């Protein structure tokens, strides 16, 4: 019996510690009206930490993307994906950067936002160039230039 008591005590302490971890990880559900400000703050925080602390910056960007997806706020989702893609590009993670630029481009196509679409298409072209896909890079670059001329950005 004397040998069991310390093990039971240790087991009780481990259960108490694990129950505290679960309570701290409870997800907070944000309402669409309230969360727009929070998402913008997370995007700005991610951009702020992108130069010094990449892990914290990635955490902020992913939080912003997740909440925007749950709330189906396409403008904020596309903005968060663009900023996250720029962050990944600066870290030379071209495959992940390409995916986020491409998703942002598709969202801007749905939203009919030509100026943002040009920027997203340029991002896709840059990442494709750095990945060695020169033909598609040139195609996307020309698409961005023609769209910029049509919208009067040049």
């Amino acid at each position: 019996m004397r040998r069991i008591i310390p093990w039971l005590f240790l087991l009780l302490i481990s259960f108490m510690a694990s129950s505290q971890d679960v309570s701290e990880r409870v997800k907070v559900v944000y309402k669409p009206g309230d969360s727009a400000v929070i998402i913008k703050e997370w995007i700005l925080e991610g951009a702020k930490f992108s130069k010094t602390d990449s892990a914290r910056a990635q955490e902020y960007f992913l939080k912003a993307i997740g909440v925007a997806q749950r709330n189906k706020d396409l403008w904020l989702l596309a903005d968060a994906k663009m900023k996250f893609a720029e962050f990944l590009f600066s870290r030379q993670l071209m495959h992940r950067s390409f995916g986020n630029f491409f998703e942002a481009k598709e969202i801007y196509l749905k939203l009919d936002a030509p100026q943002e679409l040009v920027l997203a298409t340029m991002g896709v072209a840059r990442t494709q160039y750095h990945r060695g896909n020169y033909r598609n890079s040139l195609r996307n670059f020309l698409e961005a230039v023609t769209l910029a001329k049509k919208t009067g950005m040049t």
Side-chain angles (χ1 to χ4, degrees):
M1 187 70 168
R2 289 182 186 171
R3 290 183 179 175
I4 296 175
I5 291 176
W7 290 107
L8 288 175
F9 183 69
L10 184 62
L11 186 65
L12 178 66
I13 291 174
S14 67
F15 279 131
M16 289 172 49
S18 67
S19 67
Q20 288 176 354
D21 292 339
V22 171
S23 65
E24 290 174 4
R25 285 187 248 143
V26 174
K27 289 187 178 181
V28 179
V29 178
Y30 298 101
K31 297 178 182 175
D34 300 337
S35 65
V37 175
I38 294 170
I39 292 170
K40 289 176 185 175
E41 286 177 8
W42 282 340
I43 293 171
L44 291 175
E45 288 292 317
K48 183 176 84 173
F49 286 114
S50 66
K51 302 285 186 215
T52 57
D53 189 358
S54 62
R56 186 178 286 176
Q58 182 172 349
E59 179 183 337
Y60 279 118
F61 285 128
L62 292 176
K63 278 184 191 178
I65 289 170
V67 173
Q69 280 178 338
R70 280 194 298 273
N71 293 338
K72 298 177 183 165
D73 190 345
L74 294 179
W75 280 103
L76 287 176
L77 177 61
D79 187 36
K81 284 194 175 283
M82 283 289 291
K83 296 283 196 261
F84 188 47
E86 289 291 339
F87 163 72
L88 293 171
F89 187 84
S90 69
R91 296 288 174 194
Q92 297 181 354
L93 296 169
M94 299 304 164
H95 59 289
R96 294 188 65 198
S97 178
F98 170 75
N100 283 291
F101 275 128
F102 189 79
E103 289 176 4
K105 178 183 170 185
E106 294 297 317
I107 294 170
Y108 287 135
L109 272 173
K110 288 180 190 175
L111 294 173
D112 193 30
Q115 292 180 346
E116 290 84 0
L117 181 61
V118 169
L119 295 175
T121 307
M122 288 296 292
V124 169
R126 281 190 306 158
T127 55
Q128 284 179 331
Y129 176 80
H130 287 285
R131 292 174 71 201
N133 196 350
Y134 303 116
R135 181 180 295 162
N136 287 332
S137 174
L138 184 60
R139 187 178 301 138
N140 280 305
F141 179 72
L142 290 175
E143 178 186 341
V145 169
T146 56
L147 187 60
K149 284 184 179 180
K150 286 181 185 176
T151 59
M153 286 180 65
T154 58

